[in-house]
Amino acid sequence: MSYWIESEKLNKKFYSSDLFNFKKGQSLFKKECYHVINDVSFKLRSHCVTGFVGANGSGKTTLIKLILGFIKKTDGVLNYPLDQNQLLNFKTKIGFLPERPYYYDFLTPYELLKYFWNMQEPNLQEPNLQFNEIFYRVMKQVRLSEKYFHSKIKVFSKGMLQRVGMALALIHNPEYLILDEPMSGLDPEGRYLVKKIIQELKASGKSILFTSHLIEDVEELCEDILFIDNGKMIYSGPLETLKSSYHNESLMSVLNAISARHLGESQ
Ligand SMILES: Nc1ncnc2c1ncn2[C@@H]1O[C@H](COP(=O)(O)OP(=O)(O)O)[C@@H](O)[C@H]1O
Ligand SMILES: [Mg+2]
């Protein structure tokens, strides 16, 4: 069994300096510390779909930013075993859908994707394939209808924007995908479509990590689960193992039971 990401006792602390707490005789800055990722250890299995769940503010997006190298860890270990533990190597193989994407909305999907495609190192582009062929392949994958290929993105609905975001994540045919809240704000049809895309990506051998508050969707799609609470990893491993230790109840009931236990312990 191989793993695409491994972490051991990973920590991330943010510090803020508050000038208004200045008192005579004290240091000018009072530093506040926010321990957002707290001794987090986990492994992500290759070619699996891992669902990343946890309440708002529990640290999901921060952990994703650490994985992608957007922010630096405070301490601990974060490894990319399939890429000789080189972040740069890992980054060339990853597709990312941010939680709050921003698109140049005066561009059309064709122009936007071409712009990002051209930013790639030519040696990383698929040999023998022209941009147009890849564009059509990706549009088919995300089911964006041809009549919108040359419409400005600013007129797009939330569902269509999400498809553009997925297309951007897929344009370089990445081996790994990290999708931060891909179903959020979508209607049932949009959710169904994103689920279908994730299932197809898994079938083609990709390794996927996605966050979601829609626990039924996570249960339907995932083999593995990461469950984070207040910066601490509560569970990481196979969904079935977690459920079997809770009499095979629904994932929603299991997560509620774990949260209730933790709440009880912290009171
Ligand atoms: N740059 C930052 N400085 C201070 N706190 C931060 C910073 N970024 C995130 N946080 C805090 O970290 C916590 C986790 O945030 P986030 O990772 O966005 O959670 P989630 O994605 O699970 O909703 C929140 O309390 C948030 O306010
Ligand atoms: Mg988030």
Side-chain angles (χ1 to χ4, degrees):
M1 190 179 304
S2 64
Y3 300 96
W4 56 297
I5 302 174
E6 288 177 350
S7 125
E8 187 70 40
K9 290 194 171 295
L10 186 67
N11 284 286
K12 177 66 190 173
K13 294 175 184 168
F14 291 106
Y15 294 96
S16 79
S17 303
D18 187 355
L19 257 182
F20 298 102
N21 282 326
F22 173 64
K23 284 190 195 132
K24 237 183 175 174
Q26 286 185 347
S27 131
L28 186 60
F29 294 105
K30 179 175 178 274
K31 267 195 165 182
E32 299 271 357
C33 172
Y34 305 93
H35 198 165
V36 174
I37 298 293
N38 194 339
D39 271 344
V40 158
S41 305
F42 65 92
K43 286 179 176 190
L44 297 190
R45 280 196 287 166
S46 310
H47 314 296
C48 281
V49 183
T50 303
F52 190 6
V53 297
N56 282 335
S58 54
K60 300 181 297 297
T61 299
T62 306
L63 185 57
I64 286 176
K65 287 180 184 167
L66 286 166
I67 291 172
L68 294 167
F70 293 167
I71 54 173
K72 284 201 161 73
K73 67 186 179 190
T74 306
D75 55 51
V77 180
L78 186 56
N79 278 337
Y80 312 92
L82 301 181
D83 297 284
Q84 293 89 45
N85 293 325
Q86 314 244 328
L87 178 62
L88 211 61
N89 199 7
F90 171 78
K91 275 188 175 177
T92 61
K93 300 187 194 166
I94 189 120
F96 173 51
L97 177 74
E99 185 177 16
R100 284 183 224 140
Y102 172 77
Y103 309 107
Y104 303 121
D105 63 4
F106 52 88
L107 297 180
T108 67
Y110 184 87
E111 291 164 342
L112 187 76
L113 267 77
K114 189 157 195 185
Y115 176 69
F116 280 96
W117 170 251
N118 283 335
M119 279 205 282
Q120 279 192 104
E121 295 272 348
N123 65 338
L124 293 175
Q125 293 174 356
E126 287 170 81
N128 312 321
L129 278 184
Q130 295 297 314
F131 172 74
N132 277 3
E133 293 169 74
I134 288 169
F135 179 74
Y136 277 91
R137 176 184 76 198
V138 172
M139 288 295 113
K140 207 169 152 197
Q141 257 177 308
V142 303
R143 277 81 160 175
L144 193 69
S145 153
E146 194 158 357
K147 66 181 174 198
Y148 299 116
F149 287 2
H150 301 286
S151 307
K152 286 204 188 327
I153 288 168
K154 69 170 81 151
V155 303
F156 282 15
S157 67
K158 165 83 185 161
M160 282 157 67
L161 278 177
Q162 199 73 334
R163 286 183 226 183
V164 172
M166 288 293 271
L168 272 176
L170 294 171
I171 186 81
H172 55 306
N173 196 20
E175 282 177 38
Y176 321 122
L177 282 145
I178 296 188
L179 311 170
D180 199 357
E181 307 285 352
M183 288 104 163
S184 128
L186 298 183
D187 60 18
E189 196 189 328
R191 266 171 67 188
Y192 174 78
L193 180 69
V194 172
K195 280 194 280 183
K196 195 131 186 65
I197 296 170
I198 292 177
Q199 279 162 341
E200 287 170 2
L201 289 168
K202 184 203 149 28
S204 65
K206 312 285 183 197
S207 307
I208 304 164
L209 174 69
F210 79 97
T211 69
S212 182
H213 291 292
L214 302 162
I215 303 301
E216 297 87 358
D217 293 347
V218 173
E219 186 163 13
E220 192 182 327
L221 288 169
C222 296
E223 290 123 303
D224 289 352
I225 294 286
L226 297 183
F227 178 31
I228 194 170
D229 184 35
N230 219 354
K232 293 207 160 111
M233 196 59 82
I234 306 295
Y235 178 81
S236 72
L239 172 64
E240 285 314 313
T241 312
L242 177 66
K243 282 173 64 173
S244 65
S245 52
Y246 280 83
H247 312 292
N248 284 316
E249 287 185 46
S250 70
L251 180 60
M252 182 66 107
S253 314
V254 172
L255 296 181
N256 283 340
I258 298 174
S259 298
R261 208 182 65 212
H262 275 261
L263 205 64
E265 281 167 5
S266 63
Q267 277 171 353

